[in-house]
Amino acid sequence: MKRLTPTLLAAAIAATLGGASAAWSQGSASPGIGAAAAAPNGMPTPAARDAAGPGGTTAGTLSSADRMFVDQAAESGVATVQAGKLAVQRARDPRVRLFAQRMIDDHDTANDELAKLASARRITPPGEPALRHRKEMDALQTRSGVDFDRAYMRGQIAEHQKAVARFDRQARMGQDAELRQWAAKLLPTLREHLQMA
């Protein structure tokens, strides 16, 4: 075996220590997979607490009720916008068309806000209506004239009654503070929509 000269030995040690030092500093400078781990006592490390979202919520830690609210609000919001777009085109009564445009405007804004809240919690809400909404939309597309107007408005009354109940429950009982505040903020608008319908 060849013997290393003192200069080569010193260089090899420096390179080894330098690489370990760089790897250690990179691992501690940015929260990665290991940074979010729990400390030996089982408590979250400071890096894990820093990685937590608003209100200390980390990915996948929304309560099942909060997650269900996000999913149902997203599905309903998308369905309301889609039905509104159809009504703007097909409604006979100008008041129905005005109502439909208001639904598009208000629910598009709410859908965007919900998407941002969900993204901050590293979840993706549904981007399309639930099956029951799709069936209602299919049935609505077969109607025309006054029959369309009545069916659309009946559907909006039923959907907004459910939405008011859902948002009221979330505003009172939701565990995620920001989702609770968002629900409380939208509740008066949803009640106004129901009254308008």
Side-chain angles (χ1 to χ4, degrees):
M1 181 169 140
K2 283 187 173 180
R3 296 186 78 189
L4 293 174
T5 64
T7 307
L8 285 176
L9 184 58
I13 291 172
T16 302
L17 291 177
S21 172
W24 180 83
S25 66
Q26 285 176 354
S28 63
S30 62
I33 294 171
N41 64 3
M43 299 299 291
T45 63
R49 284 192 301 273
D50 291 344
T57 302
T58 55
T61 61
L62 277 183
S63 71
S64 60
D66 283 353
R67 180 60 197 253
M68 185 185 304
F69 168 76
V70 168
D71 289 349
Q72 289 176 343
E75 290 169 346
S76 178
V78 171
T80 300
V81 170
Q82 287 181 359
K85 288 179 179 178
L86 183 64
V88 163
Q89 295 171 356
R90 296 178 80 182
R92 176 178 284 178
D93 190 322
R95 293 172 300 169
V96 174
R97 287 195 302 272
L98 283 173
F99 174 84
Q101 187 59 55
R102 173 81 186 270
M103 296 308 99
I104 295 167
D105 297 341
D106 289 355
H107 285 270
D108 257 345
T109 300
N111 293 347
D112 289 345
E113 291 171 354
L114 180 59
K116 287 176 186 165
L117 286 168
S119 177
R121 284 145 186 81
R122 289 177 254 151
I123 60 172
T124 303
E128 62 180 32
L131 179 60
R132 75 175 178 86
H133 293 122
R134 292 195 301 269
K135 287 181 178 179
E136 290 166 4
M137 187 74 157
D138 289 345
L140 192 58
Q141 288 178 338
T142 66
R143 299 176 184 265
S144 61
V146 174
D147 188 39
F148 175 91
D149 291 3
R150 287 185 184 138
Y152 170 70
M153 294 310 296
R154 273 195 308 269
Q156 289 303 301
I157 290 168
E159 195 58 43
H160 279 85
Q161 286 171 335
K162 291 174 191 169
V164 166
R166 183 182 307 124
F167 275 70
D168 179 61
R169 184 173 50 253
Q170 183 68 24
R172 289 182 293 105
M173 300 167 55
Q175 293 182 15
D176 184 279
E178 280 190 300
L179 284 173
R180 232 183 13 252
Q181 291 168 357
W182 181 73
K185 179 185 88 166
L186 285 185
L187 201 46
T189 302
L190 292 170
R191 286 184 173 132
E192 182 186 2
H193 291 174
L194 180 57
Q195 185 64 35
M196 289 169 66

